[in-house]
Amino acid sequence: MNYSPTANPAQVRLLPSRQRSLTVLLATLLWTLLLSFGWKGTYTELLLQTSTAAISALITFCLFEQWPRNLPQRLLRWVIQVVGVAISIPLTLLILSPALTEPGALPLWQDHSRHWSFLLIAVTGMLFGPWLAMSALLRQRDIAVREQAQLFERQRGALEHQALNARLRLLQSQVAPHFLFNTLANVQELVESSSPQAPALLNNLIAYLRAAVPKLESEQSTLEQELTLVQAYLGLMQMRMPDRLEFSINADDEVRSQSCLPMSLMSLVENAVRHGIDPSEEGGRIDIEIKLEQGLCIATVTDSGIGIQDNSNSLGTGLATLRERLQLTYGDSAGLRLIDQQPTGLCAELLFPAEEQI
């Protein structure tokens, strides 16, 4: 049994807690009641001796619980407490005996008629007191074990939360460069081809990044913010290929205030442009729809590009990263589904828990 004292010896407190005091009071009353059946003196004298011995044992228990603070390894504190309680009871009775001796009467050690009474209280106390002390120590140990387990659980939860945040930040940092480098490659392509649209596209890109980059550091976004970014991005892409891209956005007002992962909707749209519309000679159309259904936010991005069957090995890291972010944030209550469209195209469906509307 290991019990670690926590008090400074210079600040040893002998006053027991309320719970301990009540426990000892009840035990003393029970002890006195049992002894009263064979007691030949007054009940007041019996109660005085049992209560004084019980108080002395309680103070001894509290004293050795905190003092001395540092013990040699071979000495166990709980043994000292139990032995101290056992010794304190007869010692207290001996110290108290002169006060209970009538003037002119023989002292306790010479008065054989009082020896039985002394032994009765001392022996039963030495049996009852250490048992009560052991019970208290076992309860203390159980409480300490539970508190330690709760502390470990809180520390483990904090570490898991820190690890999750670090992982999310890492994944989020992977999203931003991914989108940025892809877009810059498109700009570079126009510049190299001396397209007259290049300066305008570059200016729009700068304006877009000025608005978008501050949002990349946040851990949460709203669908309204995501839609703003998506609309700006698709505007840029439409400038780059005006005859090959059309798009539409359909989202109710009630869904726009919902929280979502930053760059989640953008990842779907960017994937549709890069892997669906861009490789197609005819271009295509991207339709975005967001709705609330059965406690879920459902965002679908449907493109009429080349589809997953012709492009299954080159969907990029964006969707894989988004899946992992969803799992880390929402667990199994969120998901990302890819549905092949006929005759061509791909539908990416993003689902995550909706917030309750007040």
Side-chain angles (χ1 to χ4, degrees):
M1 179 183 298
N2 294 321
Y3 174 67
S4 301
T6 56
N8 190 314
Q11 300 174 343
V12 170
R13 292 181 300 176
L14 298 180
L15 292 179
S17 65
R18 181 180 178 184
Q19 182 179 0
R20 285 182 178 178
S21 300
L22 289 175
T23 302
V24 171
L25 174 61
L26 294 176
T28 302
L29 293 176
L30 177 61
W31 183 26
T32 306
L33 178 64
L34 293 176
L35 291 178
S36 65
F37 293 106
W39 187 254
K40 297 180 180 179
T42 65
Y43 292 118
T44 303
E45 182 181 344
L46 173 61
L47 182 60
L48 177 62
Q49 293 188 71
T50 53
S51 58
T52 305
I55 293 173
S56 173
L58 179 58
I59 293 175
T60 302
F61 182 85
C62 295
L63 172 66
F64 288 126
E65 184 180 44
Q66 308 167 59
W67 181 86
R69 183 177 184 182
N70 298 316
L71 285 176
Q73 290 186 351
R74 63 179 181 278
L75 295 180
L76 299 176
R77 184 170 296 277
W78 70 270
V79 174
I80 295 177
Q81 287 181 266
V82 173
V83 172
V85 167
I87 294 176
S88 69
I89 293 174
L91 186 60
T92 301
L93 294 175
L94 285 175
I95 295 174
L96 183 64
S97 64
L100 299 177
T101 303
E102 296 180 357
L106 293 174
L108 173 64
W109 51 89
Q110 294 179 355
D111 188 352
H112 298 290
S113 62
R114 295 168 59 193
H115 287 175
W116 166 249
S117 301
F118 171 81
L119 290 175
L120 180 64
I121 300 176
V123 172
T124 55
M126 292 177 68
L127 293 175
F128 198 41
W131 175 80
L132 199 62
M134 285 294 297
S135 300
L137 289 168
L138 289 174
R139 285 197 302 272
Q140 282 182 283
R141 187 195 62 176
D142 292 341
I143 292 173
V145 169
R146 285 198 298 271
E147 290 178 346
Q148 192 71 25
Q150 292 173 353
L151 177 63
F152 286 156
E153 189 65 26
R154 289 195 296 269
Q155 291 176 339
R156 190 180 71 172
L159 290 175
E160 288 179 348
H161 183 69
Q162 292 175 4
L164 176 61
N165 286 338
R167 181 64 175 157
L168 285 174
R169 285 195 294 271
L170 175 61
L171 292 173
Q172 192 169 314
S173 68
Q174 292 174 350
V175 171
H178 182 230
F179 161 71
L180 178 60
F181 293 145
N182 287 343
T183 308
L184 286 175
N186 293 330
V187 175
Q188 182 184 21
E189 186 178 327
L190 288 179
V191 171
E192 290 176 350
S193 63
S194 301
S195 171
Q197 293 181 327
L201 180 60
L202 186 57
N203 289 335
N204 281 284
L205 175 61
I206 293 172
Y208 168 77
L209 291 177
R210 186 175 289 119
V213 167
K215 295 183 175 63
L216 297 177
E217 295 299 327
S218 64
E219 296 182 356
Q220 281 292 331
S221 180
T222 63
L223 286 171
E224 175 67 27
Q225 293 171 321
E226 287 290 298
L227 288 171
T228 301
L229 291 175
V230 164
Q231 185 144 9
Y233 171 77
L234 288 175
L236 287 170
M237 295 300 103
Q238 203 171 38
M239 289 184 64
R240 185 172 68 84
M241 42 185 178
D243 300 329
R244 299 176 55 233
L245 175 62
E246 295 180 352
F247 68 90
S248 69
I249 297 176
N250 182 18
D252 296 335
D253 292 339
E254 61 178 356
V255 82
R256 291 176 179 268
S257 61
Q258 291 287 325
S259 299
C260 65
L261 292 179
M263 304 298 289
S264 55
L265 187 60
M266 173 59 77
S267 296
L268 301 185
V269 175
E270 195 262 347
N271 184 77
V273 172
R274 180 174 174 79
H275 300 293
I277 304 300
D278 214 10
S280 173
E281 294 181 358
E282 296 82 11
R285 178 180 179 85
I286 295 176
D287 295 303
I288 301 169
E289 182 177 8
I290 306 176
K291 60 183 178 181
L292 293 176
E293 187 174 303
Q294 296 181 348
L296 291 175
C297 282
I298 303 176
T300 56
V301 178
T302 306
D303 71 78
S304 58
I306 62 174
I308 194 171
Q309 291 182 350
D310 296 331
N311 200 31
S312 57
N313 296 325
S314 58
L315 288 178
T317 60
L319 297 187
T321 302
L322 178 56
R323 275 202 177 97
E324 192 167 357
R325 294 173 66 202
L326 289 170
Q327 180 65 34
L328 287 172
T329 304
Y330 301 108
D332 295 334
S333 57
L336 173 62
R337 295 188 296 202
L338 301 180
I339 305 168
D340 194 21
Q341 299 294 290
Q342 296 298 330
T344 61
L346 180 68
C347 174
E349 189 175 63
L350 174 66
L351 305 95
F352 57 93
E355 298 173 338
E356 293 185 5
Q357 300 292 317
I358 300 176

